[in-house]
Amino acid sequence: MRGDDLIMSWSAGEVARGEVPAPYAAPLQPVLLWSRDFLVSSHPELGRTGPVCPYTQPSLRKDLFHLALPSPDCEDLSSAVDSLRTRHAKLSAPLSPEDRELLTILLVLPDFDPTDSVELDELQRKAKDEFVAEGLMIGQFHPVCEEPGLYNESFRPLRSPIPLLAVRKLLVFDLPFLVGDDAHMDHYLQRFAPEIPTRIRDQLVDRVVA
């Protein structure tokens, strides 16, 4: 376990082995089961082949998949979310470039209303600017999240058993998640423009033309 004043985190392996104290393990275990089942599997409504999240299985395999909770004495949730950037940087430091792309942290938020995702959506929206500027992606997952899939607008891939925020390294393939914001696009292009694959470049041209 790694902890500070704002968040506590454990690797998926530690959660699976029962090495998390019982009061904290209760909300983490269903999220880990969902990650190992839903995220790593294909789905008939996904709209493409492959698993729902192509990064989860290799991240789990290398034990680079981490689950976190706000510390009990955390009074400012937005500061706890900000601290995810520091935690990700510390965990990334000893890793190879390839493994840094697989490092994932899920901040599980069991106190959020599971019937209404508005608060979580707003928290993610406010945090995204600074995360993207530092080369990170932050996404929200919620039992009633209405965000559609990229390849099927009727599919809801961001529905999780418990509200949470997911953080990982920004990748060249994240373009579709950034095109709606000029600042996000600026950071993306500064980081990836010289190496954008043809397929992604075509997506960018199509979005600009549209």
Side-chain angles (χ1 to χ4, degrees):
M1 189 271 279
R2 294 172 175 83
D4 56 27
D5 292 338
L6 299 176
I7 61 174
M8 309 170 292
S9 68
W10 298 265
S11 71
E14 290 172 319
V15 177
R17 293 190 297 270
E19 297 174 9
V20 179
Y24 306 130
L28 300 184
Q29 289 171 342
V31 171
L32 180 58
L33 290 174
W34 164 78
S35 302
R36 287 176 157 179
D37 181 17
F38 176 74
L39 292 181
V40 306
S41 302
S42 60
H43 193 284
E45 297 180 17
L46 184 57
R48 61 163 173 78
T49 58
V52 172
C53 176
Y55 306 104
T56 298
Q57 188 61 66
S59 179
L60 286 166
R61 188 181 301 117
K62 291 196 169 187
D63 208 20
L64 296 172
F65 199 86
H66 295 254
L67 298 101
L69 290 166
S71 296
D73 55 352
C74 176
E75 298 179 356
D76 182 3
L77 189 55
S78 62
S79 295
V81 173
D82 286 342
S83 73
L84 283 168
R85 291 182 286 147
T86 303
R87 180 63 51 81
H88 192 279
K90 289 180 179 178
L91 293 171
S92 292
L95 301 178
S96 68
E98 293 78 13
D99 283 350
R100 287 173 187 163
E101 294 187 357
L102 298 176
L103 177 63
T104 303
I105 306 175
L106 304 187
L107 178 63
V108 181
L109 301 167
D111 293 335
F112 272 56
D113 184 352
T115 67
D116 186 350
S117 67
V118 172
E119 185 179 4
L120 182 64
D121 293 341
E122 183 66 10
L123 185 65
Q124 184 265 353
R125 186 190 66 79
K126 289 181 177 179
K128 189 173 180 179
D129 289 348
E130 292 186 358
F131 276 73
V132 171
E134 293 193 14
L136 297 173
M137 278 295 295
I138 180 169
Q140 79 278 31
F141 292 76
H142 191 281
V144 295
C145 185
E146 286 298 320
E147 287 291 322
L150 289 176
Y151 302 93
N152 179 2
E153 292 189 356
S154 299
F155 184 48
R156 298 292 180 266
L158 304 187
R159 290 186 172 174
S160 58
I162 297 175
L164 62 90
L165 292 169
V167 175
R168 61 166 173 76
K169 183 177 173 62
L170 182 69
L171 302 174
V172 68
F173 301 105
D174 288 325
L175 173 64
F177 303 111
L178 306 173
V179 292
D181 186 287
D182 289 344
H184 296 168
M185 284 300 303
D186 286 343
H187 291 302
Y188 176 89
L189 292 173
Q190 289 171 18
R191 191 172 295 271
F192 295 118
E195 56 189 71
I196 296 177
T198 301
R199 178 171 63 86
I200 302 300
R201 191 182 304 116
D202 290 344
Q203 288 182 16
L204 179 58
V205 171
D206 290 344
R207 298 279 179 148
V208 171
V209 171

